[in-house]
Amino acid sequence: MYSIFHFFKFLADNKVSFQKAGKLEDFPYDETMFSCKNAGQFPDMAIKLNISDSIFTGGELLELKDSDSYTISSFNSTIPTGKKAIAQVIKGENSLIKQQMEQAGDNIQNLPVRDVFYLIRGKKKDKTKICLVHGSFFETLQVQDLISQSFAQVLEERLTQSGQILTDEMKQLLVSLFSEQANFSKVRNIDKSSVKLRFRIMTEVKAEGNLLNNKKYPDIQDNTLNLIVPCHQDDDEKLAKQKMLIVSNSLPCKIFKLKHILNGYFLVFQCLI
């Protein structure tokens, strides 16, 4: 049986290894849980699918974020989200991720939309915080809105500086062209140029979304391992606790609800390390 809850249970059972692992990718993971594992591209790892289970689907996508401070490392190229279509991850029949998942026994299209989690470790002197957090913690705006509003700011700044005036319709058209990352992140091959051009997005976490920040989120304590899942609907808390109870009824966890500054409540399972 595989799921993000089983993965958290494994991390908790082997938490002493966090002190030995120089980098998060060096942690001695149980790789039988994974359908793919690739450093340097999204996702770093993916949990195997369960063929038939009404509670645990598995299939979660995982990204590792390691930092030598209580600042979360930047997200390069992939904007953090709570869910991601597997079609956006697997591109083409020759995709290495696709091949790995199929070799692991996954029927990939059985779960076309996957939950995304980030395993984040921050260090401050001799203290450590480790969070396995659902991507919706960082997704307080839809990705399309985040991109389009960012480009709208650029457009407004340039128009103000140049003294030019555009109609609202023209502004909306220009902004909408850049609302999808795929529209501008492709490699562009220009005639008579000896290089190709590709625009990449780097996403940095503000204080409002930095769960390692002692002042903003004091309940995420030093020297703890935390599983953080959304708790927006009435049944979310009940279902998450049920899953944790199935995985381990002896895991010594503190359980509480965490109020996100911008994005409602999340449920936290917290263990000392």
Side-chain angles (χ1 to χ4, degrees), residues 188-202:
R188 301 297 175 176
N189 191 3
I190 308 301
D191 288 344
K192 298 183 180 180
S193 173
S194 61
V195 296
K196 298 178 181 179
L197 191 63
R198 178 187 176 193
F199 293 97
R200 300 179 66 188
I201 282 182
M202 178 180 288

Side-chain angles (χ1 to χ4, degrees), residues 20-34:
K20 303 175 183 178
K23 297 180 180 179
L24 273 181
E25 53 261 38
D26 297 332
F27 188 90
Y29 301 104
D30 178 5
E31 297 194 8
T32 63
M33 291 186 176
F34 303 145

Side-chain angles (χ1 to χ4, degrees), residues 1 3-15 18 27 30 33 47 56 132 225-227 243-253 269 271:
M1 186 67 65
S3 75
I4 202 68
F5 285 84
H6 294 83
F7 181 64
F8 177 71
K9 171 65 163 55
F10 175 82
L11 295 180
D13 287 345
N14 297 273
K15 58 190 179 183
F18 279 113
F27 188 90
D30 178 5
M33 291 186 176
I47 304 294
F56 298 106
L132 181 58
L225 168 66
N226 304 268
L227 173 62
K243 289 180 177 180
M244 186 60 76
L245 185 62
I246 292 172
V247 169
S248 175
N249 58 11
S250 60
L251 192 63
C253 274
F269 298 89
C271 304

Side-chain angles (χ1 to χ4, degrees), residues 137 204-213 216-217 260-261:
F137 197 91
E204 297 182 356
V205 177
K206 295 166 63 176
E208 291 84 352
N210 183 5
L211 43 74
L212 304 180
N213 188 305
K216 298 295 184 181
Y217 297 102
H260 191 294
I261 295 172

